[in-house]
Structures are given as C-alpha cells and as structure tokens.
C-alpha cells in the first residue's frame, strides 16, 4: 500500500530545545537585536557589516547545536509515511536528524549568495566577510529570505500542502506570511495536528488536534497517535 503523505510545517520552536532561540519569545528582540536592524534589505543597505556579523554568529550557533528528539522523531516517521518537511528555519537540524525531504522557505544559514543575483549561491561553513565577492563581483550575503523579500519556495510548498493526507505544525507562531497562509491550502477533511508550547490561533483547520507541549514531548505523543491510524 502506498504510504500516506505526511506534511509537516516547522518553525523556530522545534529547535528551541537544541538551544537555538525563537524569534518572538523574547520581547521582540532576537539574540539582542531588533529584527529590522539585521533581517531586512534596508538593514543590509545601511550596515552590511552588522548583518554579516549577526548571521556569522547564527551560523556558529547552528554549527554547535545538535538535533533534538523532536527532529529525530519526525525523521523516524519516514518509515511509515511519505514525509515532506516545510520549515521556516534556516538551521539544518532536520537534515542532520535524517529527514530526506526538507524545503527551506526562508533560506539556509549554510548558504550564501551574490547580493545581485540569487542564482549565484554557494556553500558556507565559516564566516562571510565584508569584501567577499561572488563570481559576478558583487558582495556575498547570507542566502536568507529577509522580511519584505519574496518567498519563492512558497510556490513549491502550496501543492505539497494541498496533497497532504495528514498535516502537522510544530513550533511556529504562524504570524509570518506567506508561510502562515499555507494552512489555508489543507483540504478540509485532512487531519491536522499542532504541537506548540502555546498553540497559535488558527481558524481554517477543521479536523484539528492540539498538543500543547514542548516539541520533544509533543512529537513523541504525535508518534503514538499516528501509530493508531
Ligand atoms: N516546543 C514547541 N514550541 C515552542 C518551544 C518548544 N520548546 N519553544 C517555543 N515554542 C513556540 C512558541 O510558542 C511559538 O509559537 O515556537 C513558536 C516560535 O514562534 P516564532 O518565534 O515566531 O518563530 P517562527 O514562527 O518560526 O517565525 C517565523 O519569522 O523571524 C521570522 O523568518 C523568521 O522563519 C522565521 C519566521
């Protein structure tokens, strides 16, 4: 029998127990910075050095972090389901836990690109320095989707969500669009689960089960629930 399509939308909350801070749990500051000062095209134009420094620190944090049992638990679901993860996270903890199909809506911390041409993308494990250039001579920047920038991968994500037999949301406040709007593409009769310490508000999920727990505990409970269907 064909495996069911299990589609999982994740956000910063799944990596919180790996020691990576979420965005909105800390007074509007992200690791001590205003998001507008580090994660917008305007910030880049105003102070590229600061933006590079900020993401160099994030890259170091991610390198030092380890996947937690929520990441591993979702990867284990691949045995029984055809799992597609759609993540807003820029870390690689899903991949390191063994998930095969991971779509990064907001870019990846271990990639960099020309500031002029997003086709020119490269791997980066260490720091990006001011003055480092791509093949086209333009400054290299993190290959991250900033606020006010388009989210090209959303087009790929919509049909995936639409084809879900089961849909799961883990650790996202569902406030940033277009990612948050993905839940509107779930078919009405598709069972949905939300795992979060604080369940975000939704109005469009009809067969919803909420699991108000930290991600590690929540994924364990989800796995038990999915074992029964
Ligand atoms: N387990 C489960 N959920 C948790 C945990 C945890 N241990 N810790 C925090 N959470 C939940 C919070 O309750 C919240 O709902 O994770 C969510 C984190 O929300 P945000 O900080 O808003 O992160 P996210 O939804 O991923 O942000 C979306 O915004 O800043 C931009 O581009 C950035 O991808 C990011 C996007």
């Amino acid at each position: 029998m064909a495996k069911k399509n299990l589609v999982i939308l994740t956000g910063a909350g799944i990596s919180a127990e790996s020691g990576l801070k979420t965005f909105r749990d800390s007074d509007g500051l992200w690791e001590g910075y205003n998001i507008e000062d580090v994660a917008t095209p305007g910030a880049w134009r105003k102070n590229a050095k600061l933006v590079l420094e900020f993401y160099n620190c994030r890259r170091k944090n991610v390198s030092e972090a380890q996947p937690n049992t929520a990441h591993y638990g979702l990867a284990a679901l691949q045995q029984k389901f055809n799992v597609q993860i759609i993540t807003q996270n820029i870390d690689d903890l899903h991949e390191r836990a063994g998930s095969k199909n991971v779509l990064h809506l907001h870019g990846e911390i271990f990639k960099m690109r020309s500031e002029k041409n997003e086709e020119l993308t490269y791997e980066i494990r260490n720091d990006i320095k001011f003055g480092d250039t791509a093949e086209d001579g333009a400054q290299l920047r993190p290959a991250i989707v900033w606020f006010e920038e388009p989210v090209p991968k959303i087009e790929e994500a919509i049909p995936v969500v639409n084809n879900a037999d089961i849909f799961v949301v883990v650790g996202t406040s569902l406030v940033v669009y277009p990612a948050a709007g993905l839940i509107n593409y779930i078919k009405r009769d598709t069972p949905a689960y939300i795992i979060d310490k604080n369940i975000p508000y939704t109005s469009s999920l009809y067969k919803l089960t909420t699991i108000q727990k930290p991600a590690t505990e929540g994924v364990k409970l989800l796995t038990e629930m999915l074992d029964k269907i």
Side-chain angles (χ1 to χ4, degrees):
M1 210 173 69
K3 287 179 175 176
K4 285 189 173 169
N5 292 332
L6 172 59
V7 180
I8 307 172
L9 175 67
T10 67
I14 195 165
S15 297
E17 289 163 89
S18 293
L20 301 176
K21 289 219 175 79
T22 66
F23 310 100
R24 288 175 189 82
D25 286 328
S26 48
D27 299 333
L29 290 185
W30 182 23
E31 298 281 358
Y33 292 84
N34 278 313
I35 287 181
E36 311 79 62
D37 292 338
V38 289
T40 60
W44 179 248
R45 280 194 298 274
K46 201 166 136 204
N47 194 346
K49 274 190 190 158
L50 177 78
V51 173
L52 288 174
E53 230 169 78
F54 174 75
Y55 282 101
N56 288 341
C57 281
R58 303 284 71 73
R59 197 173 301 108
K60 192 158 176 287
N61 294 156
V62 173
S63 302
E64 289 165 0
Q66 299 301 329
N68 63 51
T69 55
H71 299 103
Y72 285 113
L74 296 186
L77 290 171
Q78 293 173 130
Q79 289 164 16
K80 190 168 168 197
F81 299 98
N82 179 24
V83 178
Q84 171 72 57
I85 293 183
I86 301 171
T87 188
Q88 298 164 84
N89 299 345
I90 58 175
D91 67 54
D92 64 346
L93 299 182
H94 284 304
E95 287 92 339
R96 277 199 264 153
S99 284
K100 302 284 176 231
N101 305 318
V102 185
L103 193 150
H104 286 269
L105 285 175
H106 295 160
E108 296 175 61
I109 193 67
F110 293 117
K111 291 196 176 153
M112 60 182 180
R113 51 163 273 212
S114 153
E115 67 172 342
K116 293 219 176 99
N117 179 359
E118 64 182 305
E119 306 283 302
L120 298 178
T121 300
Y122 315 86
E123 291 270 318
I124 172 76
R125 306 307 296 187
N126 302 312
D127 288 354
I128 310 175
K129 297 192 191 67
F130 192 68
D132 288 351
T133 52
E135 288 150 76
D136 60 354
Q139 171 66 44
L140 284 161
R141 58 163 270 188
I144 305 284
V145 175
W146 288 325
F147 287 96
E148 302 161 21
E149 291 190 315
V151 181
K153 291 268 170 73
I154 202 76
E155 300 302 328
E156 221 177 294
I158 289 170
V160 171
V161 172
N162 196 245
N163 277 325
D165 298 312
I166 304 167
F167 190 80
V168 176
V169 178
V170 189
T172 168
S173 55
L174 290 177
V175 297
V176 172
Y177 284 78
L182 282 173
I183 63 168
N184 298 317
Y185 292 91
I186 299 166
K187 290 200 194 81
R188 229 173 205 266
D189 57 352
T190 297
Y193 299 79
I194 299 185
I195 300 169
D196 203 294
K197 275 190 359 190
N198 292 304
I199 301 294
Y201 171 76
T202 56
S203 58
S204 61
L205 299 177
Y206 297 95
K207 289 177 74 181
L208 175 64
T209 305
T210 57
I211 304 174
Q212 184 151 359
K213 298 271 181 206
T216 50
E217 276 179 62
V219 168
K220 205 160 160 257
L221 283 172
L222 171 78
T223 305
E224 289 165 15
M225 290 177 185
L226 294 181
D227 270 344
K228 297 191 186 114
I229 58 172

